[in-house]
């Protein structure tokens, strides 16, 4: 079902987090649950995956993750600030040690000069205060490719933030 590289990376995360007794949560907008799906494709993932939040609307970001409405007004849903608040909110509203969050424009519509199709903000947060952010500009390569590229980056960030602990 998944490209081999995603399945391998997800398997590595499940193994490493299991060995360390760590839990993860996801907070997803443009990927619509694909990151959680990649992780839960792996046998034994129930020991690691606490929950996934699919917060496609701004209202869901506020209600489920505690993203500040003022952040959405000032910076928009697709922004560094929103991604960080989503990741921090996923940790705060779960039993996870680490969370990864994504918000972006997968297209084919919805882009602008300032925020083009293919722009994705990702953040990873740890209960220990660790924080990562990445702004990716994948380009207008097609909705499916943008979403899969985002899953790859999110899995890489989960690995990176957990190794920093």
């Amino acid at each position: 079902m998944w490209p081999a590289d995603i399945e391998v990376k997800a398997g590595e995360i499940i193994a490493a987090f299991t060995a360390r007794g760590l839990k993860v949560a996801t907070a997803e907008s443009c990927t619509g649950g694909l990151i959680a799906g990649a992780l839960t494709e792996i046998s034994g993932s129930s020991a690691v995956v606490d929950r996934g939040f699919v917060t496609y609307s701004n209202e869901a970001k506020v209600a489920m993750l505690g993203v500040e409405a003022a952040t959405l007004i000032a910076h928009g849903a697709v922004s560094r600030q929103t991604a960080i608040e989503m990741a921090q909110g996923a940790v705060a509203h779960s039993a996870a040690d680490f969370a990864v969050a994504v918000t972006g424009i997968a297209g084919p519509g919805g882009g602008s000069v300032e925020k083009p199709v293919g722009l994705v903000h990702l953040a990873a947060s740890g209960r220990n205060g660790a924080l990562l952010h990445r702004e990716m500009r994948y380009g207008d390569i097609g909705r499916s490719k943008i979403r899969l590229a985002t899953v790859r980056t999110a899995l890489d960030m989960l690995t990176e933030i957990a190794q920093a602990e």
Side-chain angles (χ1 to χ4, degrees), residues 5 109 120 127 154:
D5 65 313
V120 180
R127 194 164 295 282

Side-chain angles (χ1 to χ4, degrees), residues 144-164:
S144 293
K145 288 181 181 178
I146 290 167
R147 288 164 40 111
L148 284 175
T150 302
V151 171
R152 287 181 178 97
T153 303
L155 294 177
D156 286 343
M157 290 176 72
L158 272 177
T159 299
E160 184 179 335
I161 199 164
Q163 287 174 344

Side-chain angles (χ1 to χ4, degrees), residues 14-151:
I14 297 302
F17 277 49
T18 299
R20 295 176 58 198
L22 298 173
K23 298 268 189 196
V24 67
T26 63
E28 304 182 58
S29 188
C30 64
T31 50
L34 290 176
I35 301 163
L39 291 168
T40 58
E41 184 71 18
I42 306 303
S43 178
S45 59
S46 60
V48 171
V49 178
D50 179 61
R51 67 193 72 191
F53 299 91
V54 177
T55 55
Y56 216 70
S57 70
N58 286 349
E59 293 79 13
K61 289 173 182 66
V62 171
M64 296 172 69
L65 298 171
V67 172
E68 294 290 334
T71 299
L72 294 165
I73 292 166
H75 303 284
V78 181
S79 66
R80 175 184 191 277
Q81 295 84 351
T82 297
I84 288 170
E85 287 187 27
M86 288 173 67
Q88 291 172 331
V91 169
H93 293 92
S94 72
D97 300 287
F98 296 99
V100 66
V102 300
T103 181
I105 304 167
S112 66
V113 173
E114 185 179 287
K115 294 185 180 184
V117 170
L119 172 64
V120 180
H121 284 273
L122 302 95
S125 180
R127 194 164 295 282
N128 61 3
L131 185 65
L132 297 174
H133 167 261
R134 296 233 164 73
E135 176 182 311
M136 304 302 292
R137 292 181 179 263
Y138 298 114
D140 192 356
I141 58 174
R143 186 174 184 83
S144 293
K145 288 181 181 178
I146 290 167
R147 288 164 40 111
L148 284 175
T150 302
V151 171

